[in-house]
Amino acid sequence: MPNSLSPRHAVYAGSFDPVSLGHKDIIERGARMFERVTVGVGVNPEKSPLFTTQERLDLLQQVLKPFPNVTVACFEGLAVNFVRRCGAAVMLRGLRTLTDIEAEFTLTLANRALAAEIETVFLMASEKYSHISSSLIKQVAMLGTDSLNEHEPLEAFVPREVISAVRAKFQRVKREKGG
Ligand code: ADP
């Protein structure tokens, strides 16, 4: 583990199940502010995500190809420990709503108690993406499959590289459910 943490290196941790236009916007803006951004895909054995860890990493890697100072990795356990292992002194977070602010406030205080040397930096979500969440994407993917509609509804929520992966995943989920 590096002795000193770099204030020019930020870690953006989340579930990214899957990566959305909102996440991409925060990463892109973070990459302009910091020398390095590491995107950390959290692996929580108690949750069953839609996409496997490897699928989430692959999708992020495709979407983030244009940003040379952004790398992607996965981690288990506390996010602050991952931030430390990366040698970063900053944790990057996105804020969408008042509910987010409340939750993030508690989380930040907990993280500060665990690792006072790590500072959390918040970026306000862009107005065009502030309604986007992973659960909304899943709902749209599950319900928005009208073959007569030429317009792809997922385009408004996920980067274009992610659309076919979400579609394929939901076709499988529906087949498995016998729908
Ligand atoms: P989600 O809530 O969509 O599952 P994550 O749990 O992966 O996303 O969240 C990781 C971080 O990204 C959090 O700081 C969260 O507030 C932020 N975030 C999530 N969606 C957006 C969005 N649409 N715009 C800006 N920030 C976002």
Side-chain angles (χ1 to χ4, degrees), residues 22 25-26 29 95-96 123-131:
D25 182 58
I26 297 289
R29 287 157 61 200
L95 286 178
R96 284 165 291 189
L123 291 183
M124 219 179 94
S126 304
E127 62 277 20
K128 52 185 179 190
Y129 303 134
S130 62
H131 57 293

Side-chain angles (χ1 to χ4, degrees), residues 12-16 20 22-23 26 93-96 100 104 125 129-130 132-134:
Y12 182 50
S15 44
F16 307 106
S20 71
H23 294 134
I26 297 289
R93 302 289 294 168
L95 286 178
R96 284 165 291 189
D100 260 4
E104 293 287 340
Y129 303 134
S130 62
I132 303 177
S133 65
S134 299

Side-chain angles (χ1 to χ4, degrees), residues 22-89:
H23 294 134
K24 185 184 176 197
D25 182 58
I26 297 289
I27 298 165
E28 190 170 350
R29 287 157 61 200
R32 287 199 292 266
M33 293 168 61
F34 296 95
E35 272 176 21
R36 263 185 84 184
V37 173
T38 301
V39 178
V41 177
V43 180
N44 182 348
E46 277 164 28
K47 279 194 185 167
S48 40
L50 179 66
F51 288 92
T52 65
T53 306
Q54 193 55 50
E55 287 170 336
R56 288 181 279 156
L57 285 169
D58 290 345
L59 288 174
L60 275 160
Q61 245 136 19
Q62 280 180 52
V63 169
L64 301 175
K65 233 183 249 159
F67 311 110
N69 59 338
V70 178
T71 48
V72 183
C74 64
F75 71 97
E76 252 182 84
L78 290 173
V80 281
N81 288 344
F82 175 65
V83 178
R84 274 206 200 101
R85 281 201 299 280
C86 290

Side-chain angles (χ1 to χ4, degrees), residues 132-146:
I132 303 177
S133 65
S134 299
S135 49
L136 179 73
I137 293 166
K138 288 167 193 163
Q139 244 173 318
V140 172
M142 200 68 182
L143 304 172
T145 47
D146 184 352

